[in-house]
Amino acid sequence: MLFVICREFSDFDTACYHSAVNYTSLGYGDIIMSPGWRLLGPLETADGMLLFGVSTAMIFAVIQRLFAARYVDTGA
C-alpha cells in the first residue's frame, strides 16, 4: 500500500506483486522502481529474509516445547 500512496505504482496489484517478489527475495526484475525509491527493494528483501528466519526459529521453539511437554522424562 505504501508504494501506491507514494505514487510509485499506479495500482495495488502491481505494488503487491512487486512487494511480494522483493519480500521473498525472488528478484525477478520485471518491475523496476524509480531511482528515488529503488533502495526500498533491497531493504524489503533484507526484512523478508530476517522475518522468515525469526518465524522459523519461533515455530521450532514452539515444537520443541510441545515435544518437551509431551515426552516428560519420569525418571523411572
Side-chain angles (χ1 to χ4, degrees):
M1 195 66 188
L2 175 67
F3 293 138
V4 176
I5 292 170
C6 295
R7 300 187 192 277
E8 183 60 29
F9 299 113
S10 60
D11 59 313
F12 181 73
D13 292 340
T14 304
C16 187
Y17 169 76
H18 178 73
S19 189
V21 167
N22 279 336
Y23 192 78
T24 58
S25 71
L26 291 173
Y28 289 144
D30 53 345
I31 300 174
I32 300 173
M33 297 178 71
S34 65
W37 294 100
R38 199 169 287 174
L39 185 60
L40 285 180
L43 290 174
E44 191 171 19
T45 301
D47 182 48
M49 292 182 73
L50 288 171
L51 288 178
F52 278 128
V54 168
S55 299
T56 302
M58 292 297 288
I59 290 170
F60 186 75
V62 167
I63 290 173
Q64 259 187 329
R65 285 185 184 225
L66 289 174
F67 272 103
R70 173 80 174 173
Y71 301 109
V72 176
D73 187 19
T74 58

